[in-house]
Every structure is written in structure tokens, then in C-alpha cells.
């Protein structure tokens, strides 16, 4: 493949008059456009579109698509993201015409099957959470957090209590403090202990009557199950505050324990992580929340309900509801995939998922810990966090260098520099869908990489068409549109 050609923009290969289509002669009367659309809404010149042939367009996009990294093409140990295989059968089921072709404005009577599916899913998620009331609306984990915190705010407001603070461990995902602030709370950080768990003394010091919610991720982002959880939830409940479980790591505990049973009052799921919705490149996802019964009145509308006659309907008449958080019913396509997954596996299958995920992570941990430091332990849940801090100090090799070099070997990089509590962090989550052979070859590749020359690693990747883009510049100064004067001109 000619590298240069495939990085050219369609504008750059444009030729005047080149087309991909041939239209038959017009067989209806021709009407000037300004008779249909008021002149002020028409542009004076046609938009500068590239003029290219069909093979140009097809090659352009097919070649771009081969530069994608995906779970279908590569091992993807992106910690915290649970990049497990997405069964193709779910795609087929989600695109069945009876599901895919529904219109969101159809009447409840005409979508009984879909409503039944969603109602069942609400019940399954309630059962897995150990929390009885579910909203399927939030479109991602982060929106689930925000929604649950708005529910908490509504609950305290209703009780006439002023509670302004949300406590969050310093190892939490960045979305936790962001959600707390957007929901109108002050986010207060709680330290981790040297073992990577909640520092109970610090929690105690920060917990008071101003605390509305403690957000905890368990197992946490270090891949450790916090065994203090019953004490933590008891402490919060003594202050009449709520416990929120960030459920992004549910893959480790499905069918083993339930957040509701260990004292969480609210949680979100990431259907696109735990229940095989495809994700990456920003979605779509689904972040349903489950809450205790006394919080149910505040859930967003609509909720799927079944009446005494067994008919399903969308319930909008919930006077205490926080309102809508998403158009229509949420990302139903992803919810269907999650439903298929849960129904296919059943309770025993889901438990096996977690057992296998934890086994795979521990296997990989055991294979790498003699050459890559893992600060918080010999054992993990579904993921673990290695650190390149010693490599960096002694040989100037950073977590970023290792992550970049892995790309040369056809692996997606692990999550790096997160959680913030571990310097030079490499957060690795293999998931249950990877074979022992894949884990073995990944471990040998890591072993090989850490033995390589620092200068060579600092310039990695060596085999890809782009090596180290300036990520800060890309985020701060994105080029979102073609500028006629600064770029090669399209031929028009
Ligand atoms: C992924 C993740 C989130 C956010 O979920 P999104 O679906 O990406 O919005 C929150 N917390 C943790 C621990 C996560 O891994």
C-alpha cells in the first residue's frame, strides 16, 4: 500500500468533473431551487466537495479502516475499559427488523415486544445489582453517575436536607469528580491507604453531615476488592449518606456478590463494557443505573412498567422524577446486545465470566511480575496496574514508551498514567475472552520490550504510519475544517 496515497485527503485527490455516479435524464419538470426554498437560505456557490471516482472513495475509506485497532483484529488489554469480544450473534439479533426498524414515536401498544424486552432487562439488572429500581436511560457510565447523583440531590432536597459534598477516593475514574461537580456538589478526595484501598481514617475525617454521597469503585481501579466495604457502607449509613458504586468493574464480580448486598444504594452499569456492547471511539454506550426502592421515585422518565393486565407501557407520570436525561428511551441498540448476553449466559454463565476474567488477569500478572513491577500486590481481580517507575528511574524507559512499542507488535496499549495514585502506571485488563496463548505471547512481548534499548523505545512505534502525535496540541488546537488558504486547494 502506498502510504502517502492513503493519507491524502479526498480533497487532495479531487479532479474537476470526476464523478462516482451517473444519473438518468430528468423525467420530471425542472424547478428552480429558489422557488422551493427562500433565497436567503441558499448559498451563492456550491459547497467545496471533493470530486472523485467510486474506486477513489472506496479505497480511501477501506485503507483508512485498516488502520483501526479493534477487538476483532487485536488483543486490547485497555485497563478499566473491559474490551471483551463482542459476539456477532448479538449484532444479528439487534438488527432484526422487528427491533431495528421501530420508530421511537410509535405507540406503546405497537411496541409491546420491545417494551417487554426492556422491562425484562430492567429486572435482570436489578437482580444482578441487588438493587430493585432501574433506569435504562443514561447513555454511558459517566451519564449514569451524573443521573444517580441528580437522583441523590433530589432525594435530599425532598427530605429538606442540605448536603453539599460528594466524597471520592483518589484512585477513582476522572468521571466521578466531574459528575459530582456537574450535579452541583463539591467533590472531596479521600486518600488511598498504602495497600491501595480506602484510607479509613481519612474517610472518617472527611465524612460529616454535609456528605451526600460516597462514590466507590469496588473492585477499585487497581483491580483490588476493598474488603473494608461493609465498614465503609455502615459508616456512610450512620451519617444517613448514600453509597454510590461505580459499576465499571462489574466484570469481576458478576454472580459473586451484589452491590446492594454490600451496602451500595445506587450504581451504574457499563453495558458496553460488562455486557459486550461494542465500544471505542466514543460510543454509543449504555449506562443504566440501579437504586434502592426509596430512590425509585426520583429516577428519570420514562420507566418501563407492566400493568395488571400484563401490558407494558412507558411511565411518564412520576411527579418526583428528575426528568429526562436522554432522548427517547436511551441507546436501545446497546441495551439489546446486553440483554442477549445476559440471557445467553444465564446466572451460571455470568458467574463463570467473572471467574475466567479474574483467572486471566491473575495468570497474566503472574507471567509479568518478575520483570515489571506491580506495586499493589500479588493477586488481583479482573485487572492489575503495573508500574514502569523503576524502569524510568534506572533506564529512562517510561510507561508511554512501553505502550507505544506494544503497537509495533500488534497489541493495543494498556491504559497508561491511570489511576493517578500509581506513577508510570500501565493498567492491564485482559478480559475473559482471551486465550492462554494470547496472554502468553503478550507476556513474552512485554518481557522483550522492557529489555530493549531506551533510545529505541523512546522513538517507538517504528512500524506505524504515525508515531507520536502531539496529543496536547491535537486536543487544544483541533483542525475541524478544511481551510481554503492553508491546505492544498481542492480542484473545483
Ligand atoms: C469507563 C469507566 C467510567 C465511565 O464510563 P463511560 O461509559 O466511559 O462513560 C467510569 N468509571 C470507571 C471506573 C470506568 O472504567
Amino acid at each position: 500500500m502506498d502510504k502517502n496515497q492513503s493519507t491524502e485527503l479526498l480533497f487532495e485527490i479531487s479532479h474537476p468533473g470526476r464523478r462516482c455516479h451517473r444519473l438518468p435524464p430528468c423525467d420530471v419538470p425542472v424547478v428552480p431551487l429558489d422557488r422551493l426554498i427562500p433565497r436567503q437560505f441558499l448559498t451563492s456557490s456550491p459547497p467545496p466537495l471533493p470530486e472523485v471516482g467510486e474506486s477513489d472513495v472506496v479505497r480511501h475509506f477501506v485503507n483508512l479502516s485498516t488502520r483501526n485497532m479493534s477487538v476483532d483484529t487485536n488483543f486490547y488489554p485497555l485497563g478499566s475499559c473491559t474490551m471483551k469480544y463482542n459476539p456477532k450473534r448479538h449484532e444479528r439479533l439487534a438488527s432484526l427488523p422487528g427491533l431495528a426498524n421501530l420508530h421511537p414515536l410509535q405507540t406503546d401498544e405497537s411496541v409491546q415486544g420491545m417494551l417487554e424486552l426492556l422491562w425484562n432487562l430492567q429486572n435482570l439488572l436489578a437482580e444482578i445489582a441487588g438493587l430493585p429500581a432501574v433506569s435504562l436511560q443514561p447513555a454511558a457510565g459517566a451519564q449514569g453517575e451524573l443521573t444517580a447523583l441528580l437522583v441523590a440531590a433530589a432525594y435530599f432536597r425532598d427530605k429538606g436536607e442540605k448536603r453539599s459534598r460528594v466524597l471520592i477516593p483518589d484512585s477513582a475514574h476522572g468521571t466521578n469528580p466531574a459528575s459530582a461537580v456537574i450535579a452541583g456538589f463539591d467533590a472531596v478526595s479521600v486518600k488511598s491507604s498504602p495497600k491501595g484501598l480506602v484510607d479509613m481514617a481519612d474517610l472518617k475525617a472527611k465524612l460529616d453531615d454535609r456528605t451526600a454521597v460516597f462514590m466507590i469503585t469496588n473492585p477499585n481501579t487497581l483491580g483490588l476488592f476493598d474488603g473494608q466495604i461493609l465498614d465503609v457502607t455502615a459508616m456512610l449509613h450512620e451519617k444517613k449518606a448514600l453509597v454510590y458504586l461505580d459499576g465499571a468493574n462489574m466484570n469481576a464480580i458478576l454472580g459473586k456478590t451484589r452491590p446492594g448486598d454490600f451496602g451500595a444504594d445506587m450504581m451504574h452499569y457499563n453495558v458496553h463494557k460488562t455486557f459486550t456492547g461494542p465500544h471505542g471511539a466514543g460510543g454509543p454506550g449504555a449506562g443504566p443505573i440501579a437504586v434502592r426502592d426509596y430512590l425509585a421515585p426520583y429516577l428519570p422518565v420514562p420507566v418501563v412498567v407492566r400493568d395488571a393486565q400484563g401490558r407494558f407501557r412507558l411511565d411518564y407520570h412520576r411527579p418526583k422524577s428528575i426528568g429526562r436525561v436522554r432522548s427517547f428511551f436511551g441507546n436501545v441498540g446497546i441495551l439489546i446486545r446486553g440483554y442477549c448476553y445476559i440471557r445467553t449466559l444465564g446466572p451460571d454463565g455470568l458467574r463463570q465470566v467473572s471467574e475466567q476474567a479474574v483467572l486471566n488477569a491473575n495468570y497474566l500478572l503472574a507471567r509479568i511480575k518478575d520483570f515489571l513491577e506491580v506495586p499493589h500486590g500479588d493477586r488481583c481481580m479482573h485487572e492489575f496496574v503495573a508500574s514502569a517507575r523503576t524502569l524510568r528511574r534506572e533506564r529512562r524507559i517510561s510507561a508511554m514508551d512501553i505502550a507505544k512499542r506494544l503497537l509495533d507488535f500488534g497489541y493495543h496499549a494498556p491504559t497508561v498514567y491511570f489511576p493517578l495514585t500509581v506513577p508510570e502506571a500501565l493498567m492491564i485488563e485482559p478480559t475473559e475472552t482471551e486465550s492462554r496463548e494470547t496472554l502468553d505471547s503478550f507476556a513474552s512481548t512485554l518481557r522483550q520490550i522492557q529489555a530493549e534499548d531506551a533510545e529505541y523505545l523512546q522513538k517507538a512505534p517504528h512500524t506505524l504510519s504515525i508515531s507520536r502525535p502531539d496529543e496536547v496540541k491535537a486536543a487544544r488546537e483541533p483542525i475541524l475544517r478544511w481551510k481554503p488558504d492553508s491546505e492544498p486547494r481542492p480542484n473545483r
Side-chain angles (χ1 to χ4, degrees):
M1 185 174 74
D2 178 349
K3 274 192 179 164
N4 290 328
Q5 190 189 323
S6 64
T7 55
E8 274 176 330
L9 304 176
L10 282 178
F11 287 109
E12 292 166 331
I13 57 171
S14 171
H15 285 277
R18 200 166 277 179
R19 291 286 181 273
C20 330
H21 59 266
R22 182 197 297 230
L23 298 177
C26 185
D27 59 357
V28 292
V30 175
V31 181
L33 210 49
D34 57 9
R35 222 187 283 155
L36 302 172
I37 301 172
R39 184 159 288 203
Q40 81 239 45
F41 298 124
L42 295 173
T43 63
S44 52
S45 55
L49 296 176
E51 297 175 77
V52 286
E54 180 165 333
S55 58
D56 298 328
V57 176
V58 170
R59 283 185 193 150
H60 178 78
F61 286 108
V62 172
N63 285 329
L64 280 182
S65 76
T66 63
R67 295 175 171 210
N68 273 344
M69 183 67 98
S70 72
V71 268
D72 285 353
T73 52
N74 302 77
F75 178 44
Y76 213 124
L78 192 65
S80 210
C81 294
T82 314
M83 302 300 290
K84 62 171 80 177
Y85 177 70
N86 313 132
K88 299 299 162 260
R89 200 175 63 110
H90 298 175
E91 300 304 312
R92 221 164 57 232
L93 295 172
S95 48
L96 286 174
L99 298 174
N101 294 346
L102 295 185
H103 193 282
L105 294 178
Q106 276 179 243
T107 58
D108 290 356
E109 296 75 59
S110 69
V111 293
Q112 284 293 299
M114 174 66 91
L115 293 181
E116 182 174 1
L117 186 157
L118 295 175
W119 187 79
N120 283 332
L121 181 60
Q122 285 178 181
N123 294 337
L124 291 167
L125 294 178
E127 175 64 26
I128 296 168
L131 293 167
V134 169
S135 167
L136 299 175
Q137 274 209 11
Q143 202 189 13
E145 294 167 20
L146 175 61
T147 304
L149 290 174
L150 292 174
V151 165
Y155 163 73
F156 286 117
R157 208 165 37 240
D158 206 18
K159 291 211 304 174
E161 289 185 34
K162 284 206 172 63
R163 294 186 179 236
S164 57
R165 297 173 129 198
V166 170
L167 310 188
I168 304 165
D170 56 7
S171 59
H173 197 268
T175 51
N176 289 192
S179 299
V181 170
I182 295 176
F185 293 103
D186 297 326
V188 178
S189 179
V190 174
K191 280 197 216 113
S192 296
S193 68
K195 285 185 178 159
L197 307 173
V198 172
D199 180 329
M200 296 297 276
D202 198 46
L203 174 60
K204 198 166 192 179
K206 289 176 178 157
L207 178 60
D208 60 21
D209 295 339
R210 289 172 296 174
T211 305
V213 180
F214 180 52
M215 297 179 88
I216 185 168
T217 310
N218 201 21
N220 67 17
T221 60
L222 294 164
L224 304 173
F225 190 87
D226 199 326
Q228 312 169 110
I229 188 68
L230 293 177
D231 295 335
V232 168
T233 54
M235 266 169 80
L236 268 290
H237 291 154
E238 201 175 308
K239 291 275 181 220
K240 305 246 182 303
L242 300 173
V243 177
Y244 181 82
L245 180 96
D246 178 329
N249 293 342
M250 282 301 283
N251 212 45
I253 57 172
L254 292 172
K256 289 285 174 187
T257 181
R258 306 190 306 169
D261 295 346
F262 59 65
D265 304 301
M266 312 183 280
M267 68 166 288
H268 79 256
Y269 288 97
N270 300 67
V271 177
H272 45 292
K273 295 178 180 173
T274 312
F275 302 124
T276 72
H279 59 303
I289 59 171
V291 302
R292 294 220 182 268
D293 52 2
Y294 58 87
L295 297 170
Y298 310 97
L299 286 177
V301 283
V303 174
V304 188
V305 294
R306 187 165 77 164
D307 67 20
Q309 288 76 44
R311 280 189 305 264
F312 298 94
R313 82 189 152 77
L314 291 167
D315 183 12
Y316 288 90
H317 303 290
R318 305 172 70 87
K320 292 190 171 181
S321 165
I322 61 166
R324 271 186 177 286
V325 297
R326 181 72 173 73
S327 55
F328 301 116
F329 328 120
N331 281 333
V332 168
I334 294 295
L335 296 171
I336 294 171
R337 289 166 175 85
Y339 178 74
C340 294
Y341 185 67
I342 294 170
R343 291 297 306 271
T344 303
L345 288 169
D348 295 335
L350 287 181
R351 191 175 316 116
Q352 271 176 27
V353 162
S354 286
E355 287 170 359
Q356 192 68 39
V358 172
L359 180 62
N360 273 7
N362 278 285
Y363 180 76
L364 193 53
L365 169 61
R367 291 288 319 257
I368 71 157
K369 69 182 177 200
D370 59 324
F371 58 84
L372 198 57
E373 213 177 333
V374 180
H376 290 287
D378 291 336
R379 287 275 191 285
C380 63
M381 295 292 284
H382 63 303
E383 67 188 355
F384 60 88
V385 182
S387 167
R389 66 183 166 193
T390 310
L391 278 175
R392 171 143 198 174
R393 194 172 56 237
E394 294 176 358
R395 294 178 42 218
R396 291 182 301 116
I397 296 170
S398 69
M400 185 60 86
D401 298 334
I402 295 173
K404 289 285 187 180
R405 181 68 176 132
L406 277 168
L407 308 180
D408 281 331
F409 293 89
Y411 293 112
H412 193 282
T415 299
V416 289
Y417 299 98
F418 173 73
L420 305 177
T421 47
V422 176
E424 296 296 325
L426 287 150
M427 184 191 216
I428 299 173
E429 179 180 12
T431 82
E432 72 283 2
T433 55
E434 297 300 333
S435 67
R436 180 171 173 181
E437 292 74 23
T438 301
L439 302 182
D440 283 339
S441 62
F442 181 69
S444 335
T445 304
L446 271 180
R447 180 189 290 275
Q448 178 187 334
I449 290 175
Q450 54 84 37
E452 285 180 335
D453 176 54
E455 259 170 54
Y456 186 67
L457 288 180
Q458 284 154 11
K459 296 204 179 70
H462 298 280
T463 59
L464 303 189
S465 49
I466 184 164
S467 179
R468 299 226 178 180
D470 184 339
E471 289 167 11
V472 175
K473 190 172 158 81
R476 297 268 158 83
E477 298 168 37
I479 301 172
L480 300 177
R481 74 170 50 171
W482 170 75
K483 290 199 219 91
D485 300 330
S486 61
E487 298 283 316
R489 273 182 60 78
N491 301 309
R492 351 194 49 254

